[in-house]
Every structure is written in structure tokens, then in C-alpha cells.
Amino acid sequence: MQAAIDAGLSISGNVGKYLESLPRATLDQLYTQPATCLAVLRMLPSLAKHTVLRLLYTSSAVRESVIESWAQPEHSGIFLDILGGLSKLHIVSLGSDGGKRTVSINVVFQTNLHNALVGSGAHSSFGLPSESSDKHRPTTAFLDRYATECWESVLHYLVGTPSEKRPKSPAHHFRESTLTLRRRTDGELRITSKGFQFLLQDQLNMQLVEVLNFFFQLGSLELGQDYSIETLTPTQKHMLDDLKHLGLIYQRKKKSTRFYPTRLATSLTSGSSMSVSLTSRDQAAESEGFIIVETNYRVYAYTNSPLQIAVLSLFVSMRVRFANMVIGLITRDSVRDALAKGITSDQIIAYLTTHAHPEMRKSSPVIPSTIVDQIRLWEMERNRLRISRGYLYQMFSREQDYRDILKQATDFGYELWHSDAKRLIVVSNEGHEHIKAFVARQRQQQQQQQQQR
């Protein structure tokens, strides 16, 4: 049953949502690189991967009923959800043939994914290993330590905790503005909601496709291998300096003609979140879990790490601090403050679960259900209204026309709202073109029938 629940998702997390928001033309440009196609495939859920691979060697549209037959009869609806997710990524397109709904794979994606799997096409898409040897070649342990130190400095800077090592040129890489950080009246920096989203935004007018392709390329590189910068575009070469400060790549000198991806970079498209096996110095003592949450909303954290305490302070009201432990309360105000900064209830619950003390892990569920439910209820208080852009369909001359269009919108997941009494339908932006084409076909069929009479 869990597979059925997850099947409708395309790519979970912010990456999937961001890719779904891109227009078809931009995604087609991204899919011209085999490394990008392979990275997207690896991030898809298992059943979505299965669907794409079965469509990979098709040369024409496949009827939806055929795809439904791949699952057992009681789970035939799973693939409808999968196709909806894949169509948002423009990996497949939905159409009709003789009244039968069909599915066809994006030719650009199909060609370059095939090239990635069989090793043909543009080999530079997966990076060009340096031909000359490096006498200063770093070890894997050095790359892990370097990546950890760089990333820790970023985290300390974002949450405003003191750190021995600060990010280089913070005014350039982390702008003290409402986009990422806000300086309080007492002079301290505090992260804003967009800072938690933490997206790389270059101050120059970089080409979006080149930036995204480089990130996807990094996820396909080999840890410890040195790669030449000769095949990189000017935009991608400019990115190296930013990625170096984030710990994603290592360059011994700024003018070096080679770079090394770290474990942070090679795990970008591994298909599972937080798969990096780096151990933070601040988290080493708490690797087995350090948080205890009681049913009275009291939180005990056995840590003296300034970073861990600062993170907890984002959604916990701190009351007492000892040498190796802090005590706080999860309150409505503390959770609402976190929600206002852009942190979600799922992120709070996931953090508490991930860092739960071993004694708490003996219970099921790990975090008391009363705490989990209350955190979600506090979030629901802020999310009573949901704003979605869409198109309104109205003034149907016949009841049957209204029913046909409503069924079409519902089946493909495009319906946002409808009213049977007023014959009103609101469809999403993504589904407008599809429904508009369906309406045009309906009118054409009705005109043909009238002429035959």
C-alpha cells in the first residue's frame, strides 16, 4: 500500500517542485544532456522509473489501458498517478487516439537517456577526467573533511552561531538582505524564510539551464577523480568558486585547470535524501541521537553543540541550559515562529525523529503522536486557505458537456474546484491547454454530427 501512496509523486522535495515549475522549453533544454536525464531518472520513485524504462524503447504512443495492465487489477489506478507526475516533468505527454487516451515519451528525454544508459552521445556530459596526474592529489578522507568544514561554516553562518571558520566573502555569497538574512536591531543576523530554502542565486545573469545541468552533472561524477574544466561553459566555470565555498568541489588553487567533486556533490542525485555519510564535528557526539520529547511538550537535548542548540531554538522555546544539556518547550508561538520562517511541520517532525535519543527509538511511534498531531494542527491554522492559479470554465449549454469536461479534468488531476449547481469548473494552469483541446474536439464532433443529420 505504501507503494501506492508514493507512486503519484514524481520527484519528492524541493527539486521535484522546482523542476515541475519550469516551462516545457526549459526542460527540453535540460534534457539535451544525458547526465541530466540519468540524474532525473535516479531521483524518480521506483514505479515511475519502471514506467519510464518500459516506455524508453517505444517509437509510438502507447494506450493508457496498456500501461494500466502492467499492475494488478486492484492497483491499476497507480499508473494514472505516475503518469500525472511524469507529465508535470514533461517526461511523458498525454493525448488521445480515436477516443482512447495515449501516452508518449518525450523524444528529447528518450534519446539522451538512451545515450546515458548505453554510453553514446556527448561524453563530456559526465565530465572529462584530467589526462595529467596531480602530484598534490587529495585523498578521499581529505575531501570529506574539507566538505564537512565548509558546510559547517555555512550552517553556522545561517543560524547565526559563532564558528571558528566563517564562509569566505560572506557579503558576496550570503547577502545580508531580506532574501537570505536579516540584521536585527541588536546587530545580530537572523535567517529569513527564503534563507531556509537556501537556493544558489548568482549575482550575475547566469544561464539557468547551464547551472542546472552542472548540478546534475556533479551527481554523476566519481568521488576522488579529478576532472578538467576545459569542457565547462564560462557560466559553469564561474560557478566553481561558489561551489568551492559550499564544500561541493575542491580546487587547490583558483586558477587550477582541474577540480575534485566531494561526497556532497556526488550524492546530489543519489535518489535518497541526506545520503551523505559525512560526520559533522558538532554532531559526532550526537550521532546516535540526543533529543528526548515528552508528552507534555518538554524537550531535553543532550548536547553542547552551539549549532544543534541554535537549530532547536528555531522551533523550541529554550528555558534552561546546562553544560551538556538544554531544556525547552514546544509551544504554539515557537512553532508558529518557525512556520513563519518557512520551516514546515514535516521538517520539524523529521528533525526530532532523526535525532531522537536511543531510548525514544524503543517506542513506536518515536515521537509521541500527541506532539506530532499538535504541530501539524498549528500548521493547519496558518494554511486554512490555499491559493492556486487556474482557469474557469462556465456557461455550459448542456449538462452532458459539463460532465464530460469535469470527468476529463478529474481523471488527469487538473481539477481544482467545481460546482455542480452552477456548472462551474476550475482547472490548473498545467491542465488548461489539455482541457481546451478536449473542448475543441468536443465542439468539432458535435458540428460533424449536426451536419450528418
Side-chain angles (χ1 to χ4, degrees), residues 360-377:
M360 289 201 65
R361 295 184 181 279
K362 297 178 182 179
S363 305
S364 181
V366 176
I367 305 300
S369 57
T370 53
I371 304 296
V372 173
D373 292 342
Q374 186 60 66
I375 292 174
R376 291 203 168 109
L377 285 173

Side-chain angles (χ1 to χ4, degrees), residues 109-153:
F109 184 89
Q110 180 184 34
T111 301
N112 289 286
L113 178 59
H114 177 267
N115 291 340
L117 295 177
V118 302
S120 60
H123 297 286
S124 61
S125 173
F126 292 92
L128 179 65
S130 297
E131 297 180 355
S132 60
S133 59
D134 185 4
K135 62 180 180 180
H136 301 287
R137 188 182 190 89
T139 62
T140 302
F142 172 84
L143 292 175
D144 285 347
R145 186 169 61 254
Y146 168 81
T148 301
E149 291 176 354
C150 291
W151 190 246
E152 278 187 13
S153 69

Side-chain angles (χ1 to χ4, degrees), residues 14-52:
N14 292 331
V15 176
K17 293 179 181 178
Y18 179 70
L19 290 178
E20 289 176 1
S21 69
L22 296 177
R24 172 68 182 264
T26 302
L27 285 172
D28 280 346
Q29 284 183 292
L30 282 174
Y31 295 155
T32 58
Q33 294 298 318
T36 298
C37 295
L38 182 61
V40 171
L41 177 72
R42 292 167 64 184
M43 290 188 290
L44 290 173
S46 56
L47 286 179
K49 291 179 186 175
H50 174 81
T51 304
V52 171

Side-chain angles (χ1 to χ4, degrees), residues 98-386:
K100 301 291 185 179
R101 289 183 294 193
T102 59
V103 179
S104 56
I105 189 169
N106 184 333
V107 177
V108 178
F109 184 89
Q110 180 184 34
T111 301
N112 289 286
L113 178 59
H114 177 267
N115 291 340
L117 295 177
V118 302
S120 60
H123 297 286
S124 61
S125 173
F126 292 92
L128 179 65
S130 297
E131 297 180 355
S132 60
S133 59
D134 185 4
K135 62 180 180 180
H136 301 287
R137 188 182 190 89
T139 62
T140 302
F142 172 84
L143 292 175
D144 285 347
R145 186 169 61 254
Y146 168 81
T148 301
E149 291 176 354
C150 291
W151 190 246
E152 278 187 13
S153 69
V154 171
L155 296 180
H156 279 291
Y157 187 79
L158 284 177
V159 298
T161 57
S163 174
E164 298 176 0
K165 183 178 180 181
R166 309 296 288 177
K168 296 180 181 179
S169 304
H172 173 73
H173 298 285
F174 305 97
R175 290 168 289 173
E176 298 175 9
S177 67
T178 55
L179 287 178
T180 305
L181 298 170
R182 181 178 292 117
R183 187 174 293 278
R184 301 198 317 182
T185 54
D186 57 6
E188 294 185 8
L189 288 174
R190 284 294 179 265
I191 191 169
T192 65
S193 60
K194 292 188 178 180
F196 282 105
Q197 297 174 9
F198 194 65
L199 297 175
L200 280 178
Q201 295 183 4
D202 193 82
Q203 294 180 355
L204 301 178
N205 185 21
M206 285 189 171
Q207 295 295 323
L208 174 63
V209 173
E210 293 181 14
V211 172
L212 293 177
N213 274 330
F214 191 46
F215 274 115
F216 287 124
Q217 180 187 103
L218 288 175
S220 301
L221 301 184
E222 181 182 349
L223 178 65
Q225 173 66 50
D226 54 330
Y227 292 88
S228 172
I229 67 172
E230 294 179 2
T231 58
L232 302 182
T233 66
T235 294
Q236 293 169 345
K237 290 178 182 178
H238 184 84
M239 288 177 61
L240 290 177
D241 193 48
D242 292 329
L243 299 181
K244 181 168 58 178
H245 295 310
L246 292 173
L248 292 174
I249 66 155
Y250 169 75
Q251 266 188 311
R252 195 171 69 88
K253 294 181 179 180
K254 187 173 182 178
K255 295 184 178 180
S256 176
T257 59
R258 71 181 81 222
F259 70 92
Y260 293 84
T262 67
R263 201 180 301 273
L264 284 173
T266 57
S267 64
L268 281 175
T269 58
S270 61
S272 59
S273 60
M274 302 304 294
S275 61
V276 186
S277 60
L278 300 176
T279 302
S280 168
R281 293 172 299 173
D282 285 339
Q283 297 174 349
E286 298 89 8
S287 59
E288 294 183 357
F290 62 97
I291 296 176
I292 291 179
V293 182
E294 294 184 338
T295 54
N296 60 359
Y297 300 91
R298 192 174 294 273
V299 177
Y300 299 87
Y302 294 90
T303 179
N304 57 5
S305 164
L307 178 60
Q308 296 286 8
I309 295 172
V311 173
L312 272 176
S313 300
L314 296 174
F315 56 88
V316 175
S317 176
M318 292 300 178
R319 300 300 172 89
V320 183
R321 179 168 181 173
F322 298 102
N324 62 345
M325 182 182 72
V326 293
I327 303 175
L329 281 174
I330 298 177
T331 66
R332 180 174 181 269
D333 289 338
S334 65
V335 172
R336 286 176 66 87
D337 286 344
L339 296 173
K341 294 182 176 73
I343 306 174
T344 66
S345 62
D346 288 338
Q347 290 173 330
I348 295 174
I349 295 166
Y351 184 86
L352 294 174
T353 304
T354 302
H355 298 283
H357 193 278
E359 289 298 320
M360 289 201 65
R361 295 184 181 279
K362 297 178 182 179
S363 305
S364 181
V366 176
I367 305 300
S369 57
T370 53
I371 304 296
V372 173
D373 292 342
Q374 186 60 66
I375 292 174
R376 291 203 168 109
L377 285 173
W378 283 329
E379 183 181 46
M380 289 173 63
E381 289 179 1
R382 289 175 47 87
N383 300 331
R384 292 176 180 174
L385 295 177
R386 181 169 56 91

